[in-house]
Amino acid sequence: YLQNVKGLGALDTGLLMLPGALAFGLLMPVVGKLYDRTGPKPLAIFGIISLAVTTFLLHNIDVNTSNTTVAYWMILRGISMSFAAVSAQAASLDSVSKLEVGGASAISNIISRVSGSLGIAALTTILTSRISYHAKAISTQLISAGTDISLQSHQIQTSAFVKGLDDIFLIAAVLTLFGLVPALFLKKMKMESNE
């Protein structure tokens, strides 16, 4: 979106995304301290709900959305991700002994990477079909209005791409809420160390 629709270069896109990543990184130790006080469940529930809300906000992107707005939404997502991810990761590692932490961490990272890749592949497939759907719908509307669309193919594709992204963010927001189910069962474990 930032490069294809807004025309930003790779560096400018990275700089625009940087505040969200910084928010995530800076809040990790804070969430860790909160985890010690409250346990994982309230942090994960807050993180997942706020992540769903901020993902839904991205559903409102259009061709005129300002870069500042996108950066703000990404900061909110970074904050949400820190609560959701750190609490869940800490709870998963808290449930194993000190001797098993290395292996558990590696398995957790593998599962995270593989599931993330599968999710991206699935959403990309859906995005492609939604872009095609929206391009056809926009073209049909313009033709019905008597507009010559031969000179507007770029605008049609751009509008269809943005509408497809809106659909993907809506789907992602709904899917995020499914994370509440396992979050309800998170608890802080007290493991005996096997040293």
Side-chain angles (χ1 to χ4, degrees):
Y1 167 79
L2 292 172
Q3 291 177 315
N4 295 337
V5 176
K6 302 295 277 182
L8 296 180
L11 177 62
D12 290 331
T13 299
L15 290 173
L16 192 64
M17 303 297 280
L18 182 62
L22 286 175
F24 177 79
L26 291 173
L27 276 176
M28 286 176 70
V30 174
V31 175
K33 288 184 193 257
L34 289 172
Y35 176 88
D36 291 337
R37 290 186 187 160
T38 67
K41 189 187 298 186
L43 300 174
I45 290 172
F46 169 77
I48 290 167
I49 291 171
S50 59
L51 186 60
V53 169
T54 56
T55 303
F56 181 78
L57 287 175
L58 289 167
H59 160 71
N60 295 311
I61 282 178
D62 62 28
V63 293
N64 299 314
T65 302
S66 73
N67 293 347
T68 305
T69 301
V70 172
Y72 174 70
W73 288 343
M74 294 310 293
I75 290 169
L76 292 178
R77 276 185 55 80
I79 292 167
S80 302
M81 282 292 293
S82 65
F83 279 89
V86 171
S87 57
Q89 181 78 6
S92 69
L93 295 178
D94 197 24
S95 64
V96 297
S97 69
K98 288 183 181 180
L99 293 174
E100 298 170 321
V101 167
S105 178
I107 290 170
S108 176
N109 285 329
I110 290 169
I111 291 171
S112 176
R113 300 293 181 248
V114 170
S115 59
S117 297
L118 292 174
I120 289 171
L123 289 176
T124 301
T125 302
I126 295 169
L127 175 62
T128 302
S129 70
R130 295 307 294 167
I131 291 170
S132 177
Y133 168 81
H134 287 298
K136 184 177 179 183
I138 293 167
S139 297
T140 302
Q141 284 179 336
L142 291 173
I143 290 170
S144 296
T147 305
D148 179 15
I149 64 168
S150 61
L151 300 175
Q152 298 182 358
S153 66
H154 178 71
Q155 290 92 344
I156 291 169
Q157 284 302 314
T158 299
S159 294
F161 177 72
V162 172
K163 286 178 180 284
L165 283 177
D166 289 346
D167 294 345
I168 291 301
F169 286 126
L170 182 60
I171 291 167
V174 171
L175 290 175
T176 300
L177 290 174
F178 285 106
L180 287 173
V181 175
L184 293 173
F185 296 100
L186 287 176
K187 57 185 173 183
K188 189 172 178 188
M189 304 293 287
K190 300 286 187 199
M191 292 294 295
E192 296 292 324
S193 64
N194 299 329
E195 299 182 71

